[in-house]
Amino acid sequence: MNYNVELELTNKTESYAFGQVAKQANGAAWLKCGNTVILATVVVDETDFVDEDFLPLTVQYIEKSYAAGKFPGGFIKRETKPSDFETLTSRIVDRSLRPLFPKGFANPIQITVMVLSADNDADLQVLALNAASAALYVSDIDIFTSVTAVRAAKIDGEIVFNPTREEMENSTLDLYLAGSRDDMLMIEMQSIGSDEVEVLDALMIDPIIDSAGMAQTMPVRRSNAMSEDELITVLERAQEELKKANTSYESAFKPFAAEPFELQCVISEINAEMAEYVRATHTDDLKKGINQMAKTERSTALRTIRKNIMKEKPEWDEHELKKAIESVKRSMVRAQILDERVRADGRGLAEVRPISIETNVLPGAHASALFTRGQTQALVVLTLGGAKDAQMFENLTDKGTQNETFMVHYNFPGFSVGEPSPIGAPRRRELGHGNLAKRALEGSCVQNGQTVRLVSEILESNGSSSMATVCGGYMALRAGDLEMADPIAGVAMGMVSEGEKYAILTDIMGLEDHDGDLDFKVAGSKEGITAMQMDIKLGGIRLDVLREALFQAKEARSHIIDIMLASEAKIELNEGTLPSTDLFHVDPGSIADIIGQAGKTIREIIERFDVTIDIDKKKGAVKLTGKNREGLRGARDHIEGIASGAVQPEKVEYKLGDVVTGKVKKIVDFGAFVELPGGVDGLIHISRLSEGHVSRVSDVVKEGDEITVEIVEFKGNKIGLGRAK
C-alpha cells in the first residue's frame, strides 16, 4: 500500500492512503497504525432525500475476526450480529460526526468503518473515528472540518494521552473526547474505582479474631471519583491535543479532498402567516400545552390546537401548520427560559423534580428499587450470582475470553412514552444507556467475588431515564446488601443558548432535551464524577460554561443523594431470597482437613448447607456464598470447627481384602473409577470387571451404578479394585 500521509501524533504514528481502494465510494480512507489497519468509507445517495427534520446518517463499525487471526465465536463461523463493543463504537462515531452536517442535509449517508487488521495495543474506538473523519474530509461532500478523538488516562497520578491498552489497565480515568480544532463535540468519561483492598473493619471497637488468629478484615472499594476542577483541567489539555491533531489532519488531507458537489439542504421554511396567527390567537392554549409535562399529554394538546385552527382556517395545509405550531412552541419554551428564567413546568433552572423511592417491591427478586423522578420512572432489579454466572465475551484484540461480572441491562419499552411499539432486541440507544449506568456504578461497588446483574425497566420516561437507572441501580445494590464506596446518583443537564445569553438547566425533561442545545449526563458522588456523557448540538461549548454546568450538576447530585440516603435507611432486605456472602480466614494448615480425602468433606458441607465455597490455600481465605444467611452461618461454624479441631472430619482407612460398596464415578476405556466410602477413589480395571471377557466397560456398569468391590492392591496413593465374589 502506498501511503500518502504519515502523521506523528502523541504516542503514535498514523499513516493514511487515499484513492487506492473503495474508489466508487464518495470518500475512503485506509488507516494504518502499528499493525492495525482500518478502512473507512462514506457513501451518500445524491438522488434521494428524506423529507423529515433529521439527519439520515447511518454509521456501522464492523470488526472482522480475521483481523486478529481468529474464527468468529459460536456455531456460525462468519460475522453476524454486532457485538456490544461494535454497537457502542458505532454510536460514538455517529455522535461525534453528526454535528458536522449542516441543518437541512437530507441525503441518506452511510459511513462504514471496517477493522481489517488489529494490533493488541490498538485503541480501536479512537482509530475508528479518525478514519471515518478522514474519509468524510476527502469525500466530495462539502464538509471540510476534521473531527478526531483523543483518549486520556490517569496513571500514577499523571495524565497520559493516547495510552496503550496495557497502560489503560492501570488507569483510574477513561476519558474519550471528540472534537474539531476549536470545539469539543462529544465526551465519554469514566472514573475507575481502584481494586478492592482488605482493611481492618474500623467499625469494630474490638476486632473479631478468627480461627487463624487473624483480625477479621473486610473488603473495601476505594472511590476514585474525579473532582469537577480536575476534570476541567484534563479537558483543557485534551482540547489542546485535539487542536494540534486536527490542524495536522486538515493540512495533510487537503490535497486529497475531492471536488465537492452542491449540497441540497432541505430547509423547512416556516409559514410566517401561520406562525403569526398562532401567536396572536392561541398563545394561551400553547402555554397550557407546553405545561403538560408528559409527552403524550403535550402531543394531544398541540394536536387539539392544530385541529381547532384547521376549523378556523380550512384552506390551510395541515402539515405546514404543524411545523408552524412546533416552531412557535420551541421559541416560546426557549424565550421563557432565557428571559424569565422559568421552565415550562414552572421549575427554576436548577430545580430537581420531586423524587420518590421504594425498595424491594419485588419479593421474589434478590433486590429491587422503584425510582421515580417527575414523570420518569425506573424499576431496577438486582440479581446476584457466582463466577459461573458471569457473561463471557471476547473483544477482537483480547488474547482470550473475559468474564463480565458487573452488568447493567437497560430496557425502554414503548409504553414508557405512550407509544404502541413492539418490544424486541435492545437497540443502540438502550445499549448505550446501560453502558453509561454501568460505568457510573461499577467502580464504587464492592462485589466480593460475586456476579452482579442490574436490569432497568423504564416504566415511564420524560427525560433522563439513564440517570434514573443510575439512581435506581444504586438503591437496588444497597437493597441487595452490597457495599458501595460512595452513594452514586445521576442527573441530566441541558442548556438553552441564544447569542451570548445562555441558561443551564438541571434535571431536564423531554421537552427541554428536544428544544435545547445540550444533552449532558453526569453521575457521581457528592465529591466528584464517576461517569459522564455529553453531546453538543451547538457545535461546541466553552469550558467556563461547562465548568458552571458541572458544579450545578454537583449540587443536584448532592440533593438527590440526600433523598436516597434517607430511603436507604429504611431498606428491609429480602431475607428469604437474597443470597449472602461471607469472607473469613482459617489456618492454612487446616485446609486439607476442610477439603477432605478427594474433596469428600467440602462436598458434604456444600450439600448440607447449600453453599458454594472458594478457598485460597496459601492465605487460608475462605469465601462462602449461599442462598440464605442461616445456611451461611452453619457452613462457617462447621468449617471453623474443623479448622480448630472441634469437629473431626470422617477419615476412612482401607487394607487389602476389604470388601465395600461404592458408586461408579467415571467410565474410561480401560476401566471404571469408583468412589468408595470416605470420598476415596479407586480404579477397577476392565479385566477385573467380570470373570468372562469384556469388550466395553459400559456393557457391564454405568456411571452412577452401585458396585461391590474388593481392595486388591495399593500403588502409592492409588487403590486397585476387583469385583467382589
Side-chain angles (χ1 to χ4, degrees), residues 26 145 184 271 375 387 435 449 485 627 631 635 660:
N26 291 79
T145 299
M184 291 186 297
N271 188 304
Q375 290 184 314
N435 184 59
K627 294 182 178 179
V660 294

Side-chain angles (χ1 to χ4, degrees), residues 47-115:
T47 62
D48 191 17
F49 67 90
V50 177
D51 188 20
E52 296 288 344
D53 188 22
F54 76 95
L55 174 67
L57 169 65
T58 303
V59 176
Q60 280 189 290
Y61 167 83
I62 302 167
E63 294 180 343
K64 298 295 184 178
S65 296
Y66 57 70
K70 298 179 179 179
F71 282 89
F75 182 75
I76 300 173
K77 296 303 176 185
R78 71 174 298 163
E79 290 82 359
T80 52
K81 176 180 174 289
S83 67
D84 285 0
F85 181 82
E86 288 173 293
T87 300
L88 294 170
T89 304
S90 296
R91 274 191 102 229
I92 284 175
V93 175
D94 185 304
R95 289 161 46 213
S96 302
L97 296 181
R98 192 169 285 268
L100 292 183
F101 292 86
K103 184 174 177 57
F105 187 96
N107 296 87
I109 181 168
Q110 169 91 31
I111 297 177
T112 304
V113 183
M114 298 169 61
V115 180

Side-chain angles (χ1 to χ4, degrees), residues 84 87-88 90-92 95 188 295 376 408-414 416-417 419 425-437 456 458 460-467 469 510 513 519 521 533 535:
D84 285 0
T87 300
L88 294 170
S90 296
R91 274 191 102 229
I92 284 175
R95 289 161 46 213
E188 292 261 1
K295 178 182 176 182
T376 295
V408 180
H409 297 152
Y410 168 101
N411 298 316
F412 192 86
S416 66
V417 288
E419 295 178 354
R427 293 158 293 186
R428 289 185 177 187
R429 178 179 176 277
E430 290 172 295
L431 291 172
H433 281 5
N435 184 59
L436 176 59
S456 177
I458 303 304
E460 188 178 4
S461 179
N462 186 12
S464 191
S465 55
S466 63
M467 295 297 94
T469 297
D513 186 12
D519 180 15
K521 301 178 179 73
Q533 183 181 95
D535 294 311

Side-chain angles (χ1 to χ4, degrees), residues 93-160:
V93 175
D94 185 304
R95 289 161 46 213
S96 302
L97 296 181
R98 192 169 285 268
L100 292 183
F101 292 86
K103 184 174 177 57
F105 187 96
N107 296 87
I109 181 168
Q110 169 91 31
I111 297 177
T112 304
V113 183
M114 298 169 61
V115 180
L116 307 177
S117 177
D119 194 322
N120 286 341
D121 255 348
D123 189 331
L124 295 176
Q125 289 186 328
V126 167
L127 294 176
L129 177 57
N130 292 354
S133 177
L136 186 61
Y137 191 91
V138 301
S139 72
D140 55 5
I141 301 171
D142 191 14
I143 292 176
F144 296 108
T145 299
S146 172
V147 169
T148 53
V150 63
R151 193 182 298 275
K154 185 179 180 182
I155 304 169
D156 296 329
E158 297 295 323
I159 299 301
V160 178

Side-chain angles (χ1 to χ4, degrees), residues 262-467:
E262 185 177 350
L263 290 174
Q264 300 207 352
C265 294
V266 180
I267 304 296
S268 297
E269 295 290 342
I270 304 301
N271 188 304
E273 179 187 0
M274 293 181 180
E276 185 56 36
Y277 184 84
V278 172
R279 289 191 190 95
T281 62
H282 290 78
T283 297
D284 290 341
D285 293 336
L286 204 51
K287 281 185 177 179
K288 291 178 183 177
I290 290 171
N291 290 333
Q292 299 289 334
M293 289 188 295
K295 178 182 176 182
T296 50
E297 295 172 345
R298 190 168 61 248
S299 298
T300 300
L302 295 178
R303 186 165 55 249
T304 300
I305 294 171
R306 187 171 75 249
K307 295 299 182 185
N308 290 339
I309 294 177
M310 285 304 298
K311 291 177 183 177
E312 300 161 6
K313 298 287 186 178
E315 70 278 10
W316 282 0
D317 180 77
E318 188 169 357
H319 184 66
E320 205 172 354
L321 176 61
K322 181 180 180 181
K323 291 182 179 180
I325 293 174
E326 182 65 30
S327 175
V328 175
K329 182 265 296 182
R330 183 176 188 273
S331 63
M332 287 176 61
V333 169
R334 295 170 67 87
Q336 183 173 314
I337 290 171
L338 288 170
D339 300 334
E340 302 174 31
R341 316 300 282 181
V342 176
R343 298 154 76 171
D345 58 0
R347 280 187 292 156
L349 302 187
E351 189 176 344
V352 178
R353 289 172 290 178
I355 292 172
S356 68
I357 303 171
E358 296 179 69
T359 53
N360 286 335
V361 295
L362 305 179
H366 288 166
S368 59
L370 184 64
F371 181 89
T372 307
R373 180 168 56 205
Q375 290 184 314
T376 295
Q377 187 177 68
L379 174 64
V380 187
V381 187
L382 169 70
T383 307
L384 296 172
K388 63 181 177 57
D389 298 303
Q391 173 68 63
M392 289 180 57
F393 70 96
E394 183 177 6
N395 290 324
L396 185 65
T397 53
D398 291 339
K399 294 179 180 178
T401 57
Q402 299 187 59
N403 289 322
E404 183 180 13
T405 61
F406 191 98
M407 295 167 270
V408 180
H409 297 152
Y410 168 101
N411 298 316
F412 192 86
F415 64 74
S416 66
V417 288
E419 295 178 354
S421 57
I423 296 175
R427 293 158 293 186
R428 289 185 177 187
R429 178 179 176 277
E430 290 172 295
L431 291 172
H433 281 5
N435 184 59
L436 176 59
K438 168 186 164 72
R439 289 187 286 118
L441 295 166
E442 182 178 20
S444 297
C445 181
V446 181
Q447 293 179 237
N448 290 342
Q450 294 169 292
T451 294
V452 173
R453 182 183 184 230
L454 289 169
V455 179
S456 177
E457 309 286 2
I458 303 304
L459 306 184
E460 188 178 4
S461 179
N462 186 12
S464 191
S465 55
S466 63
M467 295 297 94

